[in-house]
């Protein structure tokens, strides 16, 4: 892939301003792996937007309900330029450490590029995975300079996420005051299905998890799942579904037979299937990985559509009527469940060698954490005040004074 010199010019100041002196030389193994992995995700995003922009024509965007194709195309091109610049900068950083970036990965997005609605819904998931991946990477980076450099990318991924929420028509631009983080293995549960080969990523992947619900997922919907690890080996009655939202100290655990989306959720929810009913910690460093049978999957529970999205997507009819807070659109939109299934059906994750484990990349304390810290009843934590069982305010499991 060739990059324009303009992009190199953009990448250089990032590297220079981030760390004039300390960027060079030998780095901690974990820091290198985090940067290599981040670069693979940037390559994935770059490839996704390149293929999407190449495939869809103006008429495809207007058929999907956009008042003008210029609105989404302008944004997708701007996002593509950012992702390309991120990959260039990360690879330049790795080379300055004397490291070789992971290249040659082949990506297949056929299942996500069937139409504009599916593409836009998948892009929304991809950007949220990007945010969660950089946030999880933050817990692993040891050098504050590299942490700041990664943070300067994270903030941009979050802006992409907001634009895609707006372009989705049913989404809230900024649905939550807090985001959640994923470990690299959790990220791979979502990313690996798109990677069809050509490279080796030395990080074990969690088993991909698909939501099998047809249609819109909303509060009150019972969620149903599919994963290769949910196959009768372990009786389904003994499995739990866990819902993670930003800001909460831990997941909401529910028996699989009662995996019903609660009231009060708006925006992205990470879904896990676990072998017991202990809630998983939001705190990504200490989240018990050994309980996760499959996932995460990512769903968007859109309960508060905003006028901005309806304007961008051309479904503003009735937006001011006050009679309904549901976006009314005559064009096809993709439910969060459909987007999730699309991702898992993308491929059999053959490109990722999940047996080549790199212990540095995953939580070393998988047996600590969740069980120890959980004083919550099986009905789950108090999600929306962010209060831990001892009454302290927590954000993503980190306790305030
Ligand atoms: C069935 O699930 C178990 C774990 O729940 C897993 O170890 C096993 O490999 C799965 N079998 C198949 C055929 O996927």
């Amino acid at each position: 892939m060739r990059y324009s010199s303009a992009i190199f010019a953009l990448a250089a100041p990032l590297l220079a301003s981030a760390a004039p002196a300390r960027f060079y030389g030998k780095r901690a193994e974990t820091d290198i792996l985090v940067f290599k992995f981040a670069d693979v995700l940037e390559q994935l995003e770059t490839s996704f937007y390149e293929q999407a922009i190449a495939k869809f024509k103006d008429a495809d965007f207007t058929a999907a309900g956009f008042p003008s194709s210029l609105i989404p195309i302008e944004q997708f091109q701007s996002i593509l330029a950012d992702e390309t610049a991120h990959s260039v900068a990360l690879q330049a950083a790795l080379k300055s450490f004397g490291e070789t970036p992971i290249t040659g990965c082949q990506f297949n997005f056929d299942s996500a590029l069937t139409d504009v609605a599916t593409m836009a819904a998948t892009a929304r998931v991809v950007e949220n995975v990007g945010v969660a991946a950089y946030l999880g990477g933050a817990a692993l980076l040891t050098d504050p300079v590299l942490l700041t450099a990664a943070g300067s990318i994270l903030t941009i991924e979050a802006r992409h996420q907001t634009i895609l929420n707006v372009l989705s028509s049913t989404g809230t631009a900024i649905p939550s005051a807090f985001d959640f983080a994923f470990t690299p293995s959790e990220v791979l549960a979502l990313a690996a299905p798109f990677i069809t080969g050509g490279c080796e990523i030395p990080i074990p992947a969690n088993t991909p998890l698909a939501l099998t619900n047809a249609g819109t997922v909303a509060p009150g919907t019972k969620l149903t799942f599919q994963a290769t690890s949910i196959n009768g080996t372990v009786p389904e009655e003994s499995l739990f579904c866990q819902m993670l939202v930003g800001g909460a100290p831990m997941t909401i655990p529910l028996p699989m037979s009662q995996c019903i989306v609660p009231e009060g959720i708006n925006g992205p929810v990470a879904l896990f299937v676990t072998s017991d009913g202990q809630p998983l910690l939001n705190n990504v460093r200490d989240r018990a990985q050994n309980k996760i049978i499959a996932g995460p999957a990512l769903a968007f529970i859109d309960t508060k559509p905003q006028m901005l999205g309806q304007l961008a997507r051309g479904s503003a009819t009735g937006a001011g009527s006050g009679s309904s807070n549901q976006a009314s659109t005559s064009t096809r939109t993709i439910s969060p469940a459909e987007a999730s299934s699309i991702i898992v059906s993308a491929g059999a994750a053959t490109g990722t060698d999940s047996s080549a484990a790199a212990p540095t990349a995953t939580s070393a304390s998988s047996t600590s954490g969740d069980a120890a810290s959980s004083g919550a009843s099986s009905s789950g934590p108090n999600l929306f005040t962010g209060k831990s069982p001892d009454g302290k305010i927590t954000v993503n499991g980190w306790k305030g004074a």
Side-chain angles (χ1 to χ4, degrees):
M1 195 178 298
R2 293 195 336 267
Y3 301 103
S4 74
S5 54
I7 287 165
F8 273 115
L10 283 176
L14 165 71
L15 297 177
S17 66
R22 296 192 58 211
F23 231 81
Y24 301 90
K26 193 120 186 74
R27 323 299 311 197
E29 224 172 277
T30 326
D31 291 4
I32 290 162
L33 189 59
V34 169
F35 266 47
K36 283 186 179 177
F37 185 52
D39 173 47
V40 170
L41 294 181
E42 297 292 351
Q43 292 174 45
L44 183 150
E45 292 177 326
T46 299
S47 175
F48 176 80
Y49 290 109
E50 278 173 351
Q51 291 184 30
I53 290 168
K55 172 159 187 177
F56 296 113
K57 306 293 164 228
D58 291 350
D60 298 319
F61 287 98
T62 44
F66 288 104
S68 160
S69 62
L70 298 178
I71 295 171
I73 290 172
E74 186 175 59
Q75 294 304 321
F76 287 129
Q77 276 172 343
S78 159
I79 293 171
L80 169 60
D82 292 343
E83 312 297 17
T84 308
H86 292 164
S87 177
V88 168
L90 289 165
Q91 293 196 8
L94 284 164
K95 284 170 190 161
S96 79
F97 309 156
E99 293 292 329
T100 310
I102 298 170
T103 54
C105 300
Q106 285 148 14
F107 304 105
N108 186 323
F109 299 106
D110 288 352
S111 59
L113 298 177
T114 49
D115 54 45
V116 163
T118 307
M119 181 269 286
T122 308
R124 196 178 176 204
V125 172
V126 164
E127 293 297 337
N128 207 83
V129 172
V131 170
Y134 276 96
L135 209 47
L140 296 166
L141 286 167
T142 60
D143 183 330
V145 172
L146 300 189
L147 176 60
T148 307
S152 74
I153 295 177
L154 165 61
T155 55
I156 303 308
E157 302 295 341
R159 290 171 207 184
H160 298 164
Q161 170 65 32
T162 285
I163 289 293
L164 290 157
N165 287 342
V166 168
L167 294 183
S168 80
S169 93
T170 54
T172 310
I174 305 164
S176 171
F178 302 98
D179 278 314
F180 47 72
F182 289 153
T183 67
S185 297
E186 291 169 356
V187 170
L188 275 174
L190 289 145
F194 291 125
I195 306 173
T196 51
C199 63
E200 214 168 287
I201 303 169
I203 295 170
N206 281 11
T207 305
L209 179 65
L211 272 180
T212 51
N213 296 70
T216 306
V217 171
T221 306
K222 179 176 179 287
L223 301 180
T224 52
F225 300 97
Q226 199 184 328
T228 56
S229 53
I230 306 175
N231 58 25
T233 309
V234 184
E236 197 153 335
E237 309 88 81
S238 69
L239 298 179
F240 287 77
C241 85
Q242 310 255 2
M243 302 183 196
L244 175 66
V245 299
M250 54 199 86
T251 55
I252 310 169
L254 294 164
M256 282 289 262
S257 59
Q258 293 159 45
C259 187
I260 294 166
V261 179
E263 293 293 329
I265 288 184
N266 182 45
V269 182
L271 300 156
F272 297 83
V273 172
T274 58
S275 55
D276 72 26
Q278 289 286 351
L280 296 170
L281 291 186
N282 197 325
N283 165 3
V284 69
R285 191 195 61 190
D286 301 326
R287 188 181 302 150
Q289 295 295 319
N290 58 342
K291 308 286 182 58
I292 299 172
I293 300 277
L298 199 57
F300 284 89
I301 311 296
D302 290 336
T303 51
K304 295 176 184 166
Q306 290 180 327
M307 277 183 276
L308 183 60
Q310 294 169 19
L311 194 65
R313 194 60 177 266
S315 50
T317 1
S321 71
S323 60
S324 165
N325 70 347
Q326 291 301 308
S328 57
T329 169
S330 58
T331 53
R332 191 164 107 87
T333 55
I334 293 292
S335 75
E338 284 174 285
S340 161
S341 315
I342 289 158
I343 286 167
V344 170
S345 67
T350 47
T352 339
D353 183 1
S354 46
S355 64
T360 49
T362 49
S363 170
S365 56
S366 58
T367 52
S368 74
D370 294 37
S373 68
S374 170
S377 72
S378 62
S379 65
N382 186 342
L383 252 189
F384 302 106
T385 64
K387 287 245 173 68
S388 69
D390 61 12
K392 291 190 171 158
I393 299 290
T394 76
V395 173
N396 291 354
W398 296 96
K399 269 182 206 165

